[in-house]
Amino acid sequence: MNNFLKSKLSRRYLLLILFCAMTMNGTFSDAAPPVPLSQFDLEERPERMVRLFWQDRETAELNWADVVRGKEWELAPAEIYEFPKLDSERQNLVQMEILDHKLLVGVRDDDNGNHQSGWVAIDTGVVGHSHGDHYDWHFEHPPEVIHSQLDVDQGNPAHLYTYDGNFYLANDSMNGFTQISPMQLSKNPRKAGEFFSGGGNHITMAAVKNRVCYSTWIDGGGPNAGRVDVVNLKRGAKKQIAYTFSLPTGVIHGATANSGRVFFAPADGICWVDADLSFRKNAETVKINHLELGKDPETEKPLRTGAFTNYRNTVLFNTGSGESAALCLLDAKAKFPEVQKVSIEIADGLTLTTPDVVFTAAGKRYAFLFQDRKAGEGEEFLTVVDLDPNGDRELDDAEVCKTITVGSSAVQGHYGHHAIAFDSDRKYAFVTNPGDGSIWVLSLIELEVLAKLEVGGKPDHLLAIGARNRH
């Protein structure tokens, strides 16, 4: 080997030894790596967490968005393809529910149903597949309208319920209701609904095992005060009232079914009856049970409620205002149900909303009630009640565990209240603030607000479906 080549190799070895030495003592510790970091995906990948549906009170539109989480929580509100254009001055979206990944929403007009009322069915585009201990959620496609039934023959719906796998939509001005099958919405949506006579004016309902429905009248006086119509839902039966009975007081504004019993919310307290699945009873033999809720200390009028929520065998509702405000619980299976009250401290001008209940992924049972402002100015709140602090699955020790300040409502009658919904894994809650045009994300584990998302308008009723995929 000639001297020139030896000299060149020696210099290379010397440079290599010098580089290694400087690297070990930190001289090059801040130098850029051979491959730029920009070529690596070090960002947290955005994950789709849930699909939300909410009503905008300003435009009478139903909006939707997939909530995604990366470095931050985000959503992009969108309209539903082919959703009917409503007249925001004359029509309102009312209650809505989801069954079998199908959403049904009622439409009400300002002319007793003579303008255009009815319902719209939507495929949410989200399907859950069971894997034993969990579901995998597939966001298969954007939501799309399955069928729209809007005309002058739908009776101006207000209330919508789900019982035993079916929708029940009130047809107020037709003195009846429509049972709508989610399965038939997929097969033949024009024939998915079946009309039954029963109830009147502003109907609330409770159906049991798709065999009997108790449909109410809201009248406070006259021949229909306190009236409840018992309707046979069995196939082959005449779609008419089997018999009628009357509660001690009228103005019935709520009904539900639980554990083979039917509960009503009249002007005074709570009434309940055993469900008559065989239609062996009549107006004279049905036994009406009455539970008092006490009296309002200011007005001396009997306390009442307006709507119910079910959690397993427990019926939950709110009552009162000011010092009499409370969450109430009833064990529907008890031989003699009694009212259990959890007092909730609220300020003047605030009113409690109907409770929403969730069994969280962490194994906690919570009831959520908003304190919405009906008068004056000031903060509004979300009250969280721990239904089972000691974890024994009995709810006799329920207590308020947290109060969270929320945005503003925009209450006008039945509309403009805060609403809450939960992802299908029950890890997150989503809260609407109609007065602020926002939807907030709440952790169901820490009970802390994680994000505040601007959506505009007046977000009202809210539903959620789906959850983060585990695979």
Side-chain angles (χ1 to χ4, degrees), residues 363-381:
K364 293 297 296 181
R365 298 167 176 85
Y366 291 130
F368 294 87
L369 303 92
F370 290 100
Q371 298 185 29
D372 287 1
R373 182 162 292 284
K374 296 190 71 174
E377 301 293 335
E379 292 183 322
E380 301 178 44
F381 305 96

mmCIF file with all atom_site columns, all heavy atoms in Angstrom, residues 363-381:
data_model
loop_
_atom_site.group_PDB
_atom_site.id
_atom_site.type_symbol
_atom_site.label_atom_id
_atom_site.label_alt_id
_atom_site.label_comp_id
_atom_site.label_asym_id
_atom_site.label_entity_id
_atom_site.label_seq_id
_atom_site.pdbx_PDB_ins_code
_atom_site.Cartn_x
_atom_site.Cartn_y
_atom_site.Cartn_z
_atom_site.occupancy
_atom_site.B_iso_or_equiv
_atom_site.pdbx_formal_charge
_atom_site.auth_seq_id
_atom_site.auth_comp_id
_atom_site.auth_asym_id
_atom_site.auth_atom_id
_atom_site.pdbx_PDB_model_num
ATOM 1   N N   . GLY A 1 363 ? -67.927 2.704  37.031 1.00 0.00 ? 363 GLY A N   1
ATOM 2   C CA  . GLY A 1 363 ? -68.801 2.016  37.971 1.00 0.00 ? 363 GLY A CA  1
ATOM 3   C C   . GLY A 1 363 ? -69.558 2.923  38.913 1.00 0.00 ? 363 GLY A C   1
ATOM 4   O O   . GLY A 1 363 ? -70.112 2.451  39.918 1.00 0.00 ? 363 GLY A O   1
ATOM 5   N N   . LYS A 1 364 ? -69.636 4.215  38.590 1.00 0.00 ? 364 LYS A N   1
ATOM 6   C CA  . LYS A 1 364 ? -70.402 5.141  39.418 1.00 0.00 ? 364 LYS A CA  1
ATOM 7   C C   . LYS A 1 364 ? -71.770 5.386  38.792 1.00 0.00 ? 364 LYS A C   1
ATOM 8   O O   . LYS A 1 364 ? -71.925 5.417  37.574 1.00 0.00 ? 364 LYS A O   1
ATOM 9   C CB  . LYS A 1 364 ? -69.664 6.472  39.554 1.00 0.00 ? 364 LYS A CB  1
ATOM 10  C CG  . LYS A 1 364 ? -68.360 6.385  40.336 1.00 0.00 ? 364 LYS A CG  1
ATOM 11  C CD  . LYS A 1 364 ? -68.573 5.963  41.782 1.00 0.00 ? 364 LYS A CD  1
ATOM 12  C CE  . LYS A 1 364 ? -69.373 6.994  42.557 1.00 0.00 ? 364 LYS A CE  1
ATOM 13  N NZ  . LYS A 1 364 ? -69.562 6.582  43.980 1.00 0.00 ? 364 LYS A NZ  1
ATOM 14  N N   . ARG A 1 365 ? -72.764 5.569  39.662 1.00 0.00 ? 365 ARG A N   1
ATOM 15  C CA  . ARG A 1 365 ? -74.132 5.862  39.234 1.00 0.00 ? 365 ARG A CA  1
ATOM 16  C C   . ARG A 1 365 ? -74.434 7.328  39.566 1.00 0.00 ? 365 ARG A C   1
ATOM 17  O O   . ARG A 1 365 ? -74.528 7.690  40.733 1.00 0.00 ? 365 ARG A O   1
ATOM 18  C CB  . ARG A 1 365 ? -75.121 4.925  39.921 1.00 0.00 ? 365 ARG A CB  1
ATOM 19  C CG  . ARG A 1 365 ? -74.891 3.458  39.571 1.00 0.00 ? 365 ARG A CG  1
ATOM 20  C CD  . ARG A 1 365 ? -75.668 2.524  40.492 1.00 0.00 ? 365 ARG A CD  1
ATOM 21  N NE  . ARG A 1 365 ? -75.515 1.136  40.092 1.00 0.00 ? 365 ARG A NE  1
ATOM 22  C CZ  . ARG A 1 365 ? -74.503 0.346  40.467 1.00 0.00 ? 365 ARG A CZ  1
ATOM 23  N NH1 . ARG A 1 365 ? -73.563 0.823  41.289 1.00 0.00 ? 365 ARG A NH1 1
ATOM 24  N NH2 . ARG A 1 365 ? -74.423 -0.907 40.048 1.00 0.00 ? 365 ARG A NH2 1
ATOM 25  N N   . TYR A 1 366 ? -74.591 8.125  38.512 1.00 0.00 ? 366 TYR A N   1
ATOM 26  C CA  . TYR A 1 366 ? -74.810 9.552  38.710 1.00 0.00 ? 366 TYR A CA  1
ATOM 27  C C   . TYR A 1 366 ? -76.143 9.982  38.108 1.00 0.00 ? 366 TYR A C   1
ATOM 28  O O   . TYR A 1 366 ? -76.574 9.464  37.073 1.00 0.00 ? 366 TYR A O   1
ATOM 29  C CB  . TYR A 1 366 ? -73.712 10.374 38.024 1.00 0.00 ? 366 TYR A CB  1
ATOM 30  C CG  . TYR A 1 366 ? -72.343 10.278 38.650 1.00 0.00 ? 366 TYR A CG  1
ATOM 31  C CD1 . TYR A 1 366 ? -71.224 10.002 37.859 1.00 0.00 ? 366 TYR A CD1 1
ATOM 32  C CD2 . TYR A 1 366 ? -72.144 10.486 40.011 1.00 0.00 ? 366 TYR A CD2 1
ATOM 33  C CE1 . TYR A 1 366 ? -69.955 9.933  38.417 1.00 0.00 ? 366 TYR A CE1 1
ATOM 34  C CE2 . TYR A 1 366 ? -70.878 10.412 40.578 1.00 0.00 ? 366 TYR A CE2 1
ATOM 35  C CZ  . TYR A 1 366 ? -69.790 10.132 39.773 1.00 0.00 ? 366 TYR A CZ  1
ATOM 36  O OH  . TYR A 1 366 ? -68.537 10.063 40.321 1.00 0.00 ? 366 TYR A OH  1
ATOM 37  N N   . ALA A 1 367 ? -76.784 10.955 38.756 1.00 0.00 ? 367 ALA A N   1
ATOM 38  C CA  . ALA A 1 367 ? -77.921 11.670 38.183 1.00 0.00 ? 367 ALA A CA  1
ATOM 39  C C   . ALA A 1 367 ? -77.485 13.110 37.961 1.00 0.00 ? 367 ALA A C   1
ATOM 40  O O   . ALA A 1 367 ? -76.845 13.718 38.834 1.00 0.00 ? 367 ALA A O   1
ATOM 41  C CB  . ALA A 1 367 ? -79.133 11.615 39.101 1.00 0.00 ? 367 ALA A CB  1
ATOM 42  N N   . PHE A 1 368 ? -77.802 13.656 36.784 1.00 0.00 ? 368 PHE A N   1
ATOM 43  C CA  . PHE A 1 368 ? -77.437 15.024 36.437 1.00 0.00 ? 368 PHE A CA  1
ATOM 44  C C   . PHE A 1 368 ? -78.703 15.866 36.295 1.00 0.00 ? 368 PHE A C   1
ATOM 45  O O   . PHE A 1 368 ? -79.627 15.487 35.572 1.00 0.00 ? 368 PHE A O   1
ATOM 46  C CB  . PHE A 1 368 ? -76.663 15.064 35.119 1.00 0.00 ? 368 PHE A CB  1
ATOM 47  C CG  . PHE A 1 368 ? -75.314 14.398 35.180 1.00 0.00 ? 368 PHE A CG  1
ATOM 48  C CD1 . PHE A 1 368 ? -75.188 13.040 34.947 1.00 0.00 ? 368 PHE A CD1 1
ATOM 49  C CD2 . PHE A 1 368 ? -74.176 15.132 35.469 1.00 0.00 ? 368 PHE A CD2 1
ATOM 50  C CE1 . PHE A 1 368 ? -73.951 12.414 34.993 1.00 0.00 ? 368 PHE A CE1 1
ATOM 51  C CE2 . PHE A 1 368 ? -72.933 14.523 35.524 1.00 0.00 ? 368 PHE A CE2 1
ATOM 52  C CZ  . PHE A 1 368 ? -72.815 13.154 35.286 1.00 0.00 ? 368 PHE A CZ  1
ATOM 53  N N   . LEU A 1 369 ? -78.745 16.998 36.987 1.00 0.00 ? 369 LEU A N   1
ATOM 54  C CA  . LEU A 1 369 ? -79.865 17.931 36.889 1.00 0.00 ? 369 LEU A CA  1
ATOM 55  C C   . LEU A 1 369 ? -79.308 19.336 36.693 1.00 0.00 ? 369 LEU A C   1
ATOM 56  O O   . LEU A 1 369 ? -78.444 19.785 37.462 1.00 0.00 ? 369 LEU A O   1
ATOM 57  C CB  . LEU A 1 369 ? -80.734 17.923 38.151 1.00 0.00 ? 369 LEU A CB  1
ATOM 58  C CG  . LEU A 1 369 ? -81.350 16.606 38.600 1.00 0.00 ? 369 LEU A CG  1
ATOM 59  C CD1 . LEU A 1 369 ? -80.434 15.897 39.604 1.00 0.00 ? 369 LEU A CD1 1
ATOM 60  C CD2 . LEU A 1 369 ? -82.708 16.841 39.265 1.00 0.00 ? 369 LEU A CD2 1
ATOM 61  N N   . PHE A 1 370 ? -79.777 20.020 35.675 1.00 0.00 ? 370 PHE A N   1
ATOM 62  C CA  . PHE A 1 370 ? -79.361 21.398 35.463 1.00 0.00 ? 370 PHE A CA  1
ATOM 63  C C   . PHE A 1 370 ? -80.195 22.330 36.328 1.00 0.00 ? 370 PHE A C   1
ATOM 64  O O   . PHE A 1 370 ? -81.361 22.056 36.640 1.00 0.00 ? 370 PHE A O   1
ATOM 65  C CB  . PHE A 1 370 ? -79.534 21.792 34.000 1.00 0.00 ? 370 PHE A CB  1
ATOM 66  C CG  . PHE A 1 370 ? -78.550 21.117 33.076 1.00 0.00 ? 370 PHE A CG  1
ATOM 67  C CD1 . PHE A 1 370 ? -78.937 20.009 32.341 1.00 0.00 ? 370 PHE A CD1 1
ATOM 68  C CD2 . PHE A 1 370 ? -77.252 21.586 32.960 1.00 0.00 ? 370 PHE A CD2 1
ATOM 69  C CE1 . PHE A 1 370 ? -78.046 19.382 31.496 1.00 0.00 ? 370 PHE A CE1 1
ATOM 70  C CE2 . PHE A 1 370 ? -76.349 20.967 32.113 1.00 0.00 ? 370 PHE A CE2 1
ATOM 71  C CZ  . PHE A 1 370 ? -76.752 19.855 31.378 1.00 0.00 ? 370 PHE A CZ  1
ATOM 72  N N   . GLN A 1 371 ? -79.576 23.433 36.701 1.00 0.00 ? 371 GLN A N   1
ATOM 73  C CA  . GLN A 1 371 ? -80.291 24.537 37.331 1.00 0.00 ? 371 GLN A CA  1
ATOM 74  C C   . GLN A 1 371 ? -80.360 25.659 36.296 1.00 0.00 ? 371 GLN A C   1
ATOM 75  O O   . GLN A 1 371 ? -79.443 26.464 36.165 1.00 0.00 ? 371 GLN A O   1
ATOM 76  C CB  . GLN A 1 371 ? -79.571 24.998 38.592 1.00 0.00 ? 371 GLN A CB  1
ATOM 77  C CG  . GLN A 1 371 ? -79.462 23.939 39.677 1.00 0.00 ? 371 GLN A CG  1
ATOM 78  C CD  . GLN A 1 371 ? -78.838 24.467 40.954 1.00 0.00 ? 371 GLN A CD  1
ATOM 79  O OE1 . GLN A 1 371 ? -78.942 25.653 41.281 1.00 0.00 ? 371 GLN A OE1 1
ATOM 80  N NE2 . GLN A 1 371 ? -78.176 23.595 41.688 1.00 0.00 ? 371 GLN A NE2 1
ATOM 81  N N   . ASP A 1 372 ? -81.443 25.668 35.514 1.00 0.00 ? 372 ASP A N   1
ATOM 82  C CA  . ASP A 1 372 ? -81.616 26.635 34.431 1.00 0.00 ? 372 ASP A CA  1
ATOM 83  C C   . ASP A 1 372 ? -82.259 27.915 34.961 1.00 0.00 ? 372 ASP A C   1
ATOM 84  O O   . ASP A 1 372 ? -83.095 27.880 35.865 1.00 0.00 ? 372 ASP A O   1
ATOM 85  C CB  . ASP A 1 372 ? -82.507 26.048 33.332 1.00 0.00 ? 372 ASP A CB  1
ATOM 86  C CG  . ASP A 1 372 ? -81.784 24.982 32.522 1.00 0.00 ? 372 ASP A CG  1
ATOM 87  O OD1 . ASP A 1 372 ? -80.613 24.695 32.831 1.00 0.00 ? 372 ASP A OD1 1
ATOM 88  O OD2 . ASP A 1 372 ? -82.397 24.426 31.602 1.00 0.00 ? 372 ASP A OD2 1
ATOM 89  N N   . ARG A 1 373 ? -81.896 29.023 34.339 1.00 0.00 ? 373 ARG A N   1
ATOM 90  C CA  . ARG A 1 373 ? -82.421 30.311 34.786 1.00 0.00 ? 373 ARG A CA  1
ATOM 91  C C   . ARG A 1 373 ? -83.674 30.672 34.008 1.00 0.00 ? 373 ARG A C   1
ATOM 92  O O   . ARG A 1 373 ? -83.642 30.781 32.788 1.00 0.00 ? 373 ARG A O   1
ATOM 93  C CB  . ARG A 1 373 ? -81.377 31.416 34.635 1.00 0.00 ? 373 ARG A CB  1
ATOM 94  C CG  . ARG A 1 373 ? -81.852 32.776 35.121 1.00 0.00 ? 373 ARG A CG  1
ATOM 95  C CD  . ARG A 1 373 ? -80.709 33.711 35.374 1.00 0.00 ? 373 ARG A CD  1
ATOM 96  N NE  . ARG A 1 373 ? -79.905 33.298 36.520 1.00 0.00 ? 373 ARG A NE  1
ATOM 97  C CZ  . ARG A 1 373 ? -80.246 33.449 37.793 1.00 0.00 ? 373 ARG A CZ  1
ATOM 98  N NH1 . ARG A 1 373 ? -81.414 34.015 38.095 1.00 0.00 ? 373 ARG A NH1 1
ATOM 99  N NH2 . ARG A 1 373 ? -79.462 33.038 38.756 1.00 0.00 ? 373 ARG A NH2 1
ATOM 100 N N   . LYS A 1 374 ? -84.772 30.851 34.751 1.00 0.00 ? 374 LYS A N   1
ATOM 101 C CA  . LYS A 1 374 ? -86.037 31.263 34.142 1.00 0.00 ? 374 LYS A CA  1
ATOM 102 C C   . LYS A 1 374 ? -86.287 32.754 34.310 1.00 0.00 ? 374 LYS A C   1
ATOM 103 O O   . LYS A 1 374 ? -87.115 33.332 33.613 1.00 0.00 ? 374 LYS A O   1
ATOM 104 C CB  . LYS A 1 374 ? -87.199 30.474 34.748 1.00 0.00 ? 374 LYS A CB  1
ATOM 105 C CG  . LYS A 1 374 ? -87.141 28.971 34.461 1.00 0.00 ? 374 LYS A CG  1
ATOM 106 C CD  . LYS A 1 374 ? -88.411 28.280 34.863 1.00 0.00 ? 374 LYS A CD  1
ATOM 107 C CE  . LYS A 1 374 ? -89.561 28.627 33.936 1.00 0.00 ? 374 LYS A CE  1
ATOM 108 N NZ  . LYS A 1 374 ? -90.784 27.856 34.229 1.00 0.00 ? 374 LYS A NZ  1
ATOM 109 N N   . ALA A 1 375 ? -85.582 33.372 35.245 1.00 0.00 ? 375 ALA A N   1
ATOM 110 C CA  . ALA A 1 375 ? -85.768 34.806 35.495 1.00 0.00 ? 375 ALA A CA  1
ATOM 111 C C   . ALA A 1 375 ? -84.481 35.389 36.065 1.00 0.00 ? 375 ALA A C   1
ATOM 112 O O   . ALA A 1 375 ? -83.706 34.696 36.724 1.00 0.00 ? 375 ALA A O   1
ATOM 113 C CB  . ALA A 1 375 ? -86.921 35.028 36.472 1.00 0.00 ? 375 ALA A CB  1
ATOM 114 N N   . GLY A 1 376 ? -84.261 36.675 35.801 1.00 0.00 ? 376 GLY A N   1
ATOM 115 C CA  . GLY A 1 376 ? -83.116 37.363 36.368 1.00 0.00 ? 376 GLY A CA  1
ATOM 116 C C   . GLY A 1 376 ? -81.819 37.049 35.643 1.00 0.00 ? 376 GLY A C   1
ATOM 117 O O   . GLY A 1 376 ? -81.808 36.505 34.542 1.00 0.00 ? 376 GLY A O   1
ATOM 118 N N   . GLU A 1 377 ? -80.714 37.396 36.286 1.00 0.00 ? 377 GLU A N   1
ATOM 119 C CA  . GLU A 1 377 ? -79.383 37.172 35.739 1.00 0.00 ? 377 GLU A CA  1
ATOM 120 C C   . GLU A 1 377 ? -78.562 36.373 36.743 1.00 0.00 ? 377 GLU A C   1
ATOM 121 O O   . GLU A 1 377 ? -78.906 36.244 37.903 1.00 0.00 ? 377 GLU A O   1
ATOM 122 C CB  . GLU A 1 377 ? -78.691 38.523 35.461 1.00 0.00 ? 377 GLU A CB  1
ATOM 123 C CG  . GLU A 1 377 ? -79.441 39.420 34.484 1.00 0.00 ? 377 GLU A CG  1
ATOM 124 C CD  . GLU A 1 377 ? -79.472 38.863 33.072 1.00 0.00 ? 377 GLU A CD  1
ATOM 125 O OE1 . GLU A 1 377 ? -78.562 38.075 32.741 1.00 0.00 ? 377 GLU A OE1 1
ATOM 126 O OE2 . GLU A 1 377 ? -80.388 39.223 32.313 1.00 0.00 ? 377 GLU A OE2 1
ATOM 127 N N   . GLY A 1 378 ? -77.464 35.832 36.274 1.00 0.00 ? 378 GLY A N   1
ATOM 128 C CA  . GLY A 1 378 ? -76.591 35.095 37.185 1.00 0.00 ? 378 GLY A CA  1
ATOM 129 C C   . GLY A 1 378 ? -76.169 33.771 36.617 1.00 0.00 ? 378 GLY A C   1
ATOM 130 O O   . GLY A 1 378 ? -76.555 33.372 35.515 1.00 0.00 ? 378 GLY A O   1
ATOM 131 N N   . GLU A 1 379 ? -75.363 33.070 37.381 1.00 0.00 ? 379 GLU A N   1
ATOM 132 C CA  . GLU A 1 379 ? -74.805 31.798 36.926 1.00 0.00 ? 379 GLU A CA  1
ATOM 133 C C   . GLU A 1 379 ? -75.841 30.679 36.932 1.00 0.00 ? 379 GLU A C   1
ATOM 134 O O   . GLU A 1 379 ? -76.798 30.701 37.706 1.00 0.00 ? 379 GLU A O   1
ATOM 135 C CB  . GLU A 1 379 ? -73.621 31.404 37.815 1.00 0.00 ? 379 GLU A CB  1
ATOM 136 C CG  . GLU A 1 379 ? -72.406 32.311 37.675 1.00 0.00 ? 379 GLU A CG  1
ATOM 137 C CD  . GLU A 1 379 ? -71.242 31.832 38.509 1.00 0.00 ? 379 GLU A CD  1
ATOM 138 O OE1 . GLU A 1 379 ? -71.481 31.346 39.643 1.00 0.00 ? 379 GLU A OE1 1
ATOM 139 O OE2 . GLU A 1 379 ? -70.090 31.926 38.039 1.00 0.00 ? 379 GLU A OE2 1
ATOM 140 N N   . GLU A 1 380 ? -75.613 29.696 36.065 1.00 0.00 ? 380 GLU A N   1
ATOM 141 C CA  . GLU A 1 380 ? -76.418 28.492 36.033 1.00 0.00 ? 380 GLU A CA  1
ATOM 142 C C   . GLU A 1 380 ? -75.512 27.303 36.297 1.00 0.00 ? 380 GLU A C   1
ATOM 143 O O   . GLU A 1 380 ? -74.294 27.375 36.093 1.00 0.00 ? 380 GLU A O   1
ATOM 144 C CB  . GLU A 1 380 ? -77.126 28.368 34.681 1.00 0.00 ? 380 GLU A CB  1
ATOM 145 C CG  . GLU A 1 380 ? -78.033 29.565 34.407 1.00 0.00 ? 380 GLU A CG  1
ATOM 146 C CD  . GLU A 1 380 ? -78.704 29.498 33.043 1.00 0.00 ? 380 GLU A CD  1
ATOM 147 O OE1 . GLU A 1 380 ? -79.189 28.425 32.656 1.00 0.00 ? 380 GLU A OE1 1
ATOM 148 O OE2 . GLU A 1 380 ? -78.736 30.545 32.363 1.00 0.00 ? 380 GLU A OE2 1
ATOM 149 N N   . PHE A 1 381 ? -76.111 26.190 36.729 1.00 0.00 ? 381 PHE A N   1
ATOM 150 C CA  . PHE A 1 381 ? -75.293 25.104 37.249 1.00 0.00 ? 381 PHE A CA  1
ATOM 151 C C   . PHE A 1 381 ? -75.773 23.736 36.766 1.00 0.00 ? 381 PHE A C   1
ATOM 152 O O   . PHE A 1 381 ? -76.923 23.571 36.353 1.00 0.00 ? 381 PHE A O   1
ATOM 153 C CB  . PHE A 1 381 ? -75.309 25.119 38.786 1.00 0.00 ? 381 PHE A CB  1
ATOM 154 C CG  . PHE A 1 381 ? -74.903 26.421 39.399 1.00 0.00 ? 381 PHE A CG  1
ATOM 155 C CD1 . PHE A 1 381 ? -75.853 27.345 39.785 1.00 0.00 ? 381 PHE A CD1 1
ATOM 156 C CD2 . PHE A 1 381 ? -73.566 26.735 39.562 1.00 0.00 ? 381 PHE A CD2 1
ATOM 157 C CE1 . PHE A 1 381 ? -75.494 28.558 40.335 1.00 0.00 ? 381 PHE A CE1 1
ATOM 158 C CE2 . PHE A 1 381 ? -73.184 27.944 40.109 1.00 0.00 ? 381 PHE A CE2 1
ATOM 159 C CZ  . PHE A 1 381 ? -74.151 28.865 40.503 1.00 0.00 ? 381 PHE A CZ  1
#
